């Protein structure tokens, strides 16, 4: 079993410090090409640690920690970094993750209700637009919050304030990442049964990496400083 442990704990690949810095989609593609094997292993970890269902938010935060380090081109020790974050953020991630999940489910129900009502009476188009906007805001806010939690071990209040700032400052990149994640799962449905192994192989890690990449810039700007009470990088 030592060979399997070594595959998960060894340091990930880096890039030459003399290489010209890329941005945007070029940087996204470069990191994806460099880290694809680590992402496949990360996908397996996400699935395994999410099997009890209750642990899914903590597994997602741990996966965000790993993918943020990929985005920042920092040394990544997959199993160690994943487990350390999963353990240290478990309580906050579980409460916040399922809290956001409940709010998003409520938002989806409101959008569905007002969409059906708008078909019979145009007056309901206004609450439909409001509920849809609130749902999109919640999705972007939740993504920023989980990424910030992965980046900084800080009180929930400080992270939530930072998530609001990040969401208001740069909502579009994360919205695009959410749409990309939706397309991944749509492809899984449309091309089934050919795509039957997509979730087991790549979907969870790829959507996590995409969201981390999209949220990173705003998260860095809004991040609570390490000196703030209760805040640290680990």
């Amino acid at each position: 079993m030592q060979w399997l442990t070594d595959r998960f704990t060894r340091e990930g690949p880096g890039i030459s410090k003399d290489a010209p810095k890329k941005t945007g989609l070029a940087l996204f593609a470069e990191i994806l090409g460099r880290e694809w094997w680590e992402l496949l292993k990360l996908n397996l970890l996400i699935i395994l640690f999410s099997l009890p269902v209750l642990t899914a938010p903590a597994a997602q935060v741990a996966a965000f920690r790993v993918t943020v380090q990929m985005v920042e081109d920092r040394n990544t020790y997959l199993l160690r970094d994943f487990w350390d974050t999963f353990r240290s953020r478990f309580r906050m991630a579980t409460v916040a993750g399922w809290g956001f999940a409940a709010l998003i489910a409520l938002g989806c129900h409101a959008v569905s209700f007002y969409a059906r009502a708008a078909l019979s009476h145009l007056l309901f188009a206004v609450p439909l637009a409001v509920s849809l906007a609130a749902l999109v805001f919640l999705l972007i806010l939740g993504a920023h919050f989980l990424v910030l939690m992965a980046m900084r071990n800080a009180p929930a209040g400080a992270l939530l304030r930072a998530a609001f700032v990040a969401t208001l400052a740069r909502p579009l990149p994360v919205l695009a990442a959410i749409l990309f994640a939706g397309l991944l799962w749509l492809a899984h449905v449309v091309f089934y049964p050919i795509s039957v192994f997509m979730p087991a192989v790549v979907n969870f890690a790829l959507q996590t990496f995409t969201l981390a990449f999209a949220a990173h810039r705003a998260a860095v700007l809004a991040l609570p400083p390490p000196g703030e009470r209760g805040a640290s990088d680990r």
Side-chain angles (χ1 to χ4, degrees), residues 7-206:
R7 302 283 277 183
F8 276 84
T9 57
R10 70 183 182 183
E11 181 179 333
I15 60 175
S16 170
K17 298 303 179 183
D18 298 325
K21 292 187 179 297
K22 296 180 180 179
T23 58
L25 291 177
L27 179 59
F28 178 87
E30 180 185 79
I31 299 172
L32 191 60
R34 186 176 73 240
E35 304 285 0
W36 67 272
W37 179 241
E38 297 301 302
L39 287 172
L40 295 184
K41 293 187 288 186
L42 177 62
N43 200 80
L44 179 60
L45 284 178
I46 295 171
I47 293 172
L48 290 176
F49 278 77
S50 299
L51 285 178
V53 181
L54 179 66
T55 60
Q60 186 61 66
V61 171
F64 274 133
R65 175 75 179 187
V66 172
T67 51
V68 163
Q69 290 180 163
M70 292 177 180
V71 172
E72 295 177 346
D73 189 33
R74 296 165 62 183
N75 292 338
T76 302
Y77 302 92
L78 184 60
L79 186 57
R80 187 194 71 183
D81 293 337
F82 187 97
W83 172 246
D84 286 349
T85 306
F86 180 88
R87 184 181 55 187
S88 64
R89 313 290 205 277
F90 182 83
R91 181 179 298 178
M92 186 188 299
T94 301
V95 173
W98 287 114
F100 271 109
L103 290 173
I104 289 168
L106 185 63
C108 289
H109 176 73
V111 169
S112 176
F113 173 81
Y114 287 120
R116 291 194 302 269
L119 292 175
S120 58
H121 203 300
L122 195 59
L123 185 64
F124 286 99
V126 175
L128 171 61
V130 172
S131 59
L132 182 60
L135 175 60
V136 171
F137 183 82
L138 269 175
L139 287 168
I140 299 172
L141 179 68
H144 276 124
F145 184 81
L146 295 181
V147 170
L148 282 160
M149 191 190 306
M151 295 174 68
R152 182 66 48 82
N153 193 0
L159 292 175
L160 189 58
R161 289 193 298 271
F164 268 104
V165 171
T167 300
L168 294 174
R170 286 176 57 83
L172 295 183
V174 172
L175 178 58
I178 291 171
L179 292 175
F180 175 78
L183 288 176
L184 274 179
W185 291 101
L186 180 62
H188 169 60
V189 172
V190 170
F191 295 107
Y192 190 86
I194 299 173
S195 61
V196 65
F197 294 111
M198 279 182 64
V201 174
V202 70
N203 275 25
F204 295 106
L206 183 55

